[in-house]
Amino acid sequence: MPLDMTTPGLDALLLATVLELELSDRDRRVAEKRYQLIPEHLQRPTSRLRPYMETALVYAQGSRAIGATIVHGADEDRFDLDAILEFPPPRSWTSRMVLDELHEAFQGFPDVQEVVRCTRCVQLRFAFMHLDVTPMDPAAEPRSARVGQIHHSPDLGPDERFSVNPFGFAAWFRSKVAQPTRAFQDHVQELRARMGSHDRLVVGTVLADADIDDLPELVDPIRDAPQVIALKLMKRYLNLRYAKRDMKRPVSVYLSKIAALVPASPYGLCAQLEAYAQELDRRMTVALETRRRPEERNPAFPEENFNDRWPKEEREMRVFQADLRHLLEELGKARRSDLVDIRRIFDGLFGETVSGRAVRSYMDGIAGGAKASAYEHGKGFVAAPALLAPAAARSAQTSRAPAHHFHPGRLR
Amino acid sequence: MALKRTKPRSPQSQLGRMAMRWPALDPCLVGAGDVLAWIGPLRGLQMSYQVQVQWEWTRSRSFPCVFVLDPPLRPRPGGRFVDIPHLIYNGDAPAHSALCLFDPDEGEWNVTMWISDTTIPWASEWLHHYELWHVDGVWRGANAPGPISVGAAQAEVLHDVQ
């Protein structure tokens, strides 16, 4: 039985799992370089988009804008990143033309293996990385910050335009999540350094290593906020659940908004993830009972409905709800399990390779020497006291026991 | 400079301190009242174990022993009880072996100490390392010099004889 809501052991393992999923420092620089190359490439003399690039803006959207990028992992070690390319196309261009022209203009992008024209974006496929570039037409002045229209041009059916504000959403998200405590950040930093995350993104023949190494260190502290960690774990879990399903999965921006709406838990990361799953479950229950699809709006631009593409049918909500309940059940089991069984549970939730590495890194981090070890009053030993309350001001009641050595003997 | 305490802690003071630090551990008297015991939950890595702490408070040289009641101790798959590290091994009933939490040769525990501030956190730490040991057979806690289990000690003796 669990002693209470705190789960320092599980939290340490969940944190190690998240660190296994994230971009390495170098990977982040490679991705950044590719963002930087977008306007450069589109402004080259042979580009038909060149005349419209003078005032163009490129910025991260989606997971990268909110510190929640993780390796996709269901089928390969791949990162999916998103960018907004803000430029005003000629008035005569239809959405189809904007996307077709952008698709054409991206041919020959450094290191790209394939350029794919999608319904709303152009996808640049690199080794271990997909970059979705969504063209956005900035709204007419007077313009609310970064509001614009994106294009929707399916193979079948008419073109459409949607008013959006991804930049505003990212700013709202960042203001909403709780910053991790200093002790928590230091612990994560130390763990990150010890685990030595491996580089996945390989630069090809066009980009030189120097182009990457010269970029400044890009560290976004929001990536270690407890709500963001819970979001990353949820995304990973859902990636694996939906990998073999022929079904649309919940959209990331919807998941992101709800993650930010769940207050930082004073009980740690596992409790954060549970509270998040419970909140999503509650919303699915309400939607199913009232037969009204969720309609989560962009807090920075209420006209934008995050649920315009998911869910379309009741079945999608039921499947998602069942996934959430499975996650909660498994986390509940993990709370009552020893490490051997926790590992088995994590294998099922987050993938065998990742959870295996996470358990190994936790075990490798336990030093063998005699030292005064920390313990939580009324509960027990804590290997990483900094994890006890990642965001709350509450200080857990911990003390240190005198250093000692374990010793074998015989009972007389 | 603070003077080193020499006076033993009384059973009453141990009970009081324990109630403050570990309220879920229920105190009771065992036998003729010469053994003070506490029974309750204690965390390992994550899950909690039901443990019993026993202290023969009337014997001046006794030390508190911790027994794991539930789930009972078990060897690694295919292994033996004697190979569980750092047990005060009970050959008649191995599952009722106590945890060996300190080095007696170094005097790491004495009657001036609080059981609540030493034995109990050490036992929790033992349970944590026991779970890690179950994963890969490596004990990651601090070891006193010498073999880490009765099984390892037996093997050393056997090796010396041969």
Side-chain angles (χ1 to χ4, degrees):
Chain A
M1 281 296 292
L3 283 160
D4 72 347
M5 285 296 288
T6 61
T7 52
L10 275 187
D11 292 358
L13 294 169
L14 287 171
L15 181 62
T17 302
V18 159
L19 296 193
E20 280 295 336
L21 297 171
E22 66 180 22
L23 288 157
S24 70
D25 289 344
R26 183 179 164 78
D27 285 347
R28 263 199 318 283
R29 289 201 293 269
V30 173
E32 178 61 24
K33 187 69 193 172
R34 286 174 178 157
Y35 277 85
Q36 290 179 5
L37 284 174
I38 292 173
E40 208 174 290
H41 183 78
L42 298 178
Q43 281 179 53
R44 73 194 191 287
T46 53
S47 165
R48 287 210 296 261
L49 288 182
R50 183 183 166 89
Y52 315 108
M53 287 297 119
E54 226 162 71
T55 55
L57 267 181
V58 178
Y59 48 87
Q61 73 147 338
S63 66
R64 185 162 163 82
I66 59 172
T69 306
I70 56 162
V71 66
H72 188 276
D75 40 16
E76 57 168 331
D77 255 9
R78 190 190 76 217
F79 292 99
D80 293 336
L81 300 171
D82 302 276
I84 289 285
L85 171 65
E86 206 181 277
F87 74 99
R91 280 172 183 267
S92 58
W93 284 16
T94 60
S95 290
R96 181 173 303 273
M97 286 166 76
V98 171
L99 286 156
D100 288 347
E101 287 292 338
L102 190 61
H103 175 243
E104 181 57 36
F106 268 129
Q107 300 301 323
F109 193 88
D111 290 346
V112 82
Q113 294 175 333
E114 196 180 357
V115 182
V116 180
R117 201 281 216 178
C118 306
T119 311
R120 292 186 183 188
C121 68
V122 172
Q123 186 172 72
L124 305 179
R125 295 185 176 172
F126 306 93
F128 306 111
M129 173 180 161
H130 286 178
L131 176 57
D132 287 357
V133 183
T134 303
M136 186 170 94
D137 189 356
E141 297 294 343
R143 179 191 181 201
S144 307
R146 305 269 177 104
V147 171
Q149 287 196 318
I150 57 165
H151 307 271
H152 179 79
S153 176
D155 288 341
L156 300 171
D159 283 1
E160 281 180 272
R161 286 161 74 106
F162 295 98
S163 292
V164 297
N165 186 356
F167 186 87
F169 173 69
W172 172 86
F173 182 94
R174 300 174 77 87
S175 71
K176 195 81 186 160
V177 301
Q179 284 305 315
T181 60
R182 187 73 249 168
F184 183 82
Q185 285 182 58
D186 291 346
H187 176 82
V188 178
Q189 207 45 40
E190 193 185 302
L191 190 58
R192 203 171 260 129
R194 184 159 51 73
M195 287 172 68
S197 55
H198 52 290
D199 301 329
R200 292 176 169 98
L201 302 186
V202 186
V203 286
T205 48
V206 185
L207 277 186
D209 277 353
D211 290 334
I212 306 306
D213 297 334
D214 288 349
L215 284 173
E217 192 61 41
L218 303 154
V219 175
D220 188 351
I222 198 177
R223 67 182 173 167
D224 297 332
Q227 288 116 316
V228 177
I229 291 176
L231 171 61
K232 289 191 266 202
L233 289 165
M234 179 66 80
K235 282 168 64 178
R236 169 68 179 189
Y237 168 67
L238 293 175
N239 284 348
L240 300 187
R241 298 292 285 182
Y242 280 79
K244 291 190 178 128
R245 286 181 189 150
D246 185 19
M247 177 182 248
K248 277 213 172 229
R249 47 169 295 165
V251 282
S252 282
V253 70
Y254 171 68
L255 296 174
S256 305
K257 181 179 176 188
I258 310 303
L261 288 176
V262 175
S265 169
Y267 300 113
L269 296 180
C270 183
Q272 186 74 45
L273 181 56
E274 288 170 327
Y276 177 33
Q278 280 159 356
E279 177 57 23
L280 287 166
D281 180 17
R282 188 190 67 76
R283 284 165 184 264
M284 288 304 110
T285 303
V286 170
L288 287 163
E289 281 174 1
T290 58
R291 293 181 170 275
R292 290 184 60 159
R293 283 169 45 198
E295 253 192 36
E296 207 56 50
R297 301 275 160 175
N298 182 345
F301 185 63
E303 202 181 308
E304 184 182 356
N305 176 10
F306 288 156
N307 293 107
D308 66 336
R309 291 205 282 184
W310 186 96
K312 291 276 191 212
E313 347 170 326
E314 191 181 298
R315 184 170 155 261
E316 290 172 336
M317 290 192 277
R318 291 205 184 280
V319 169
F320 179 46
Q321 188 178 50
D323 284 342
L324 295 168
R325 291 181 179 180
H326 175 72
L327 174 65
L328 285 165
E329 198 179 310
E330 292 299 293
L331 290 173
K333 269 190 221 161
R335 282 175 172 272
R336 302 185 298 273
S337 298
D338 65 14
L339 183 56
V340 171
D341 288 336
I342 291 173
R343 180 175 169 177
R344 209 167 291 140
I345 291 166
F346 275 31
D347 283 354
L349 296 179
F350 308 114
E352 214 170 298
T353 311
V354 165
S355 78
R357 282 199 206 128
V359 168
R360 174 56 55 194
S361 80
Y362 176 81
M363 299 205 306
D364 289 348
I366 304 294
K371 60 174 188 209
S373 51
Y375 66 95
E376 226 185 330
H377 295 184
K379 295 161 195 170
F381 174 72
V382 188
L387 297 189
L388 281 174
R394 179 191 79 113
S395 60
Q397 276 211 310
T398 56
S399 296
R400 291 204 171 261
H404 67 118
H405 296 83
F406 295 106
H407 181 271
R410 280 183 184 276
L411 202 62
R412 287 180 205 129
Chain B
M1 202 176 101
L3 287 175
K4 200 172 160 61
R5 184 186 173 94
T6 55
K7 195 177 162 196
R9 301 282 177 191
S10 68
Q12 290 79 7
S13 65
Q14 293 281 16
L15 279 163
R17 180 81 169 183
M18 193 73 104
M20 195 174 70
R21 283 272 157 113
W22 304 93
L25 293 180
D26 287 329
C28 58
L29 285 172
V30 180
D34 55 345
V35 177
L36 191 51
W38 291 266
I39 298 177
L42 188 62
R43 190 165 61 204
L45 177 129
Q46 181 53 60
M47 67 183 255
S48 74
Y49 295 75
Q50 191 76 2
V51 299
Q52 177 167 352
V53 188
Q54 282 186 198
W55 179 42
E56 274 186 76
W57 63 276
T58 51
R59 270 184 52 215
S60 61
R61 298 193 62 189
S62 78
F63 56 86
C65 284
V66 180
F67 298 88
V68 180
L69 305 179
D70 186 47
L73 293 176
R74 58 188 168 86
R76 297 190 75 229
R80 307 171 302 165
F81 264 99
V82 281
D83 295 324
I84 300 177
H86 304 302
L87 284 184
I88 306 175
Y89 187 66
N90 180 345
D92 297 331
H96 297 292
S97 301
L99 315 184
C100 197
L101 303 171
F102 63 91
D103 185 353
D105 299 335
E106 292 296 320
E108 288 177 336
W109 195 85
N110 62 62
V111 289
T112 69
M113 293 173 152
W114 297 116
I115 296 171
S116 60
D117 297 15
T118 54
T119 308
I120 309 299
W122 291 344
S124 174
E125 189 186 349
W126 188 99
L127 290 166
H128 170 271
H129 293 313
Y130 165 74
E131 287 189 29
L132 269 59
W133 173 79
H134 261 284
V135 173
D136 64 359
V138 176
W139 183 264
R140 289 173 171 79
N143 299 306
I148 69 162
S149 66
V150 169
Q154 286 171 343
E156 275 186 18
V157 171
L158 214 65
H159 182 263
D160 290 346
V161 170
Q162 285 168 349

